[in-house]
Amino acid sequence: MFTGIVAEQGTVLGIDRDGDASATLRLKAPTSTEGLALGGSIAVNGVCLTATRIDGQDFSVDVMGETLVRTTIGELAAGDTVNLERCVPAGGRLDGHVVQGHVDGVGELLEREPLGNWDRLRFGVPGPLARYIAEKGSIAVDGVSLTVTAVSAATEASPWFEVGLIPTTLEETGLGAKPVGARVNLEVDVLAKYTERLLSFAPQGSPAHRASVETANVEAACAETSGNQEAAR
């Protein structure tokens, strides 16, 4: 488990790919390799990976096809910087929020606005994930724990959310240099996903079941609207 508090920006030394089936990612991380053992967990841009080789300040991780398809890891190249976080020790401080390192989808940076010493960022989000993102809730963007400051309406065809980045986050994570159009890994609040799953098993006719059905109807309506708009383009 992680907390979304980035400890270091590592550097990609290389990525060896076997098509879409798998890859080996090699990184340099002077701080994160201290005490890192083979088999240890480390989050790379929010993706929980396992250290398979350690050589001084360098380490390697193996990436399976599922991860390459559902995250931005496969888009990395030598020289890129990545956000790194070691797993939180038992009894450690939970400074951010509960982050599993299980990326739910990929978003896109739509807007970036400097506002004094902080920036407002708006991200486009895949439709199926929008329902899990709430104003003042938590979200992990490239492994960075952030507070959602604004969200799109439930009926909006192209959902989005906004966050504010303080100077420390701008300086110490890769989000400070992300250009508009950049793709990012997103992990929504795991509690929201479990709540929805539990509601789906509620007895038919119960208030929880009705709420689940209403949610599904809204999702279907939004998907139909989005599909009609795509067809009209």
Side-chain angles (χ1 to χ4, degrees), residues 38 41 51 82 108 120 143 159:
L38 288 176
S41 295
V82 291
E108 178 185 351
R120 177 189 64 83

Side-chain angles (χ1 to χ4, degrees), residues 102-193:
H102 302 162
V103 170
D104 294 299
V106 174
E108 178 185 351
L109 180 56
L110 302 177
E111 298 177 11
R112 181 177 206 115
E113 180 184 16
L115 296 167
N117 65 345
W118 65 283
D119 284 6
R120 177 189 64 83
L121 275 64
R122 175 177 289 192
F123 292 95
V125 59
L129 294 185
R131 64 182 180 271
Y132 303 117
I133 305 173
E135 187 175 342
K136 304 307 179 186
S138 297
I139 191 166
V141 180
D142 270 356
V144 183
S145 174
L146 297 169
T147 299
V148 178
T149 57
V151 294
S152 57
T155 55
E156 191 157 337
S158 300
W160 51 265
F161 70 92
E162 293 183 355
V163 295
L165 303 188
I166 63 174
T168 298
T169 306
L170 292 170
E171 294 171 5
E172 298 184 4
T173 77
L175 296 181
K178 287 284 183 185
V180 171
R183 285 158 46 88
V184 294
N185 295 320
L186 301 176
E187 181 182 336
V188 299
D189 190 347
V190 65
L191 297 179
K193 292 186 290 183

Side-chain angles (χ1 to χ4, degrees), residues 10-15 25-28 44 76-82:
T11 303
V12 176
L13 297 176
I15 182 168
L25 181 65
R26 294 174 287 113
L27 304 110
K28 176 174 287 295
V44 180
L76 295 173
D80 288 345
T81 57
V82 291

Side-chain angles (χ1 to χ4, degrees), residues 35-111:
L36 179 64
L38 288 176
S41 295
I42 187 166
V44 180
N45 273 358
V47 182
C48 179
L49 298 170
T50 301
T52 55
R53 181 176 180 180
I54 302 170
D55 183 12
Q57 297 182 344
D58 305 343
F59 73 97
S60 298
V61 292
D62 291 333
V63 186
M64 61 182 179
E66 171 77 1
T67 305
L68 293 174
V69 170
R70 300 192 60 160
T71 76
T72 63
I73 292 294
E75 302 171 13
L76 295 173
D80 288 345
T81 57
V82 291
N83 297 324
L84 299 175
E85 182 190 358
R86 295 280 300 279
C87 56
V88 63
R93 294 182 181 277
L94 189 63
D95 290 325
H97 73 283
V98 175
V99 177
Q100 295 182 302
H102 302 162
V103 170
D104 294 299
V106 174
E108 178 185 351
L109 180 56
L110 302 177
E111 298 177 11

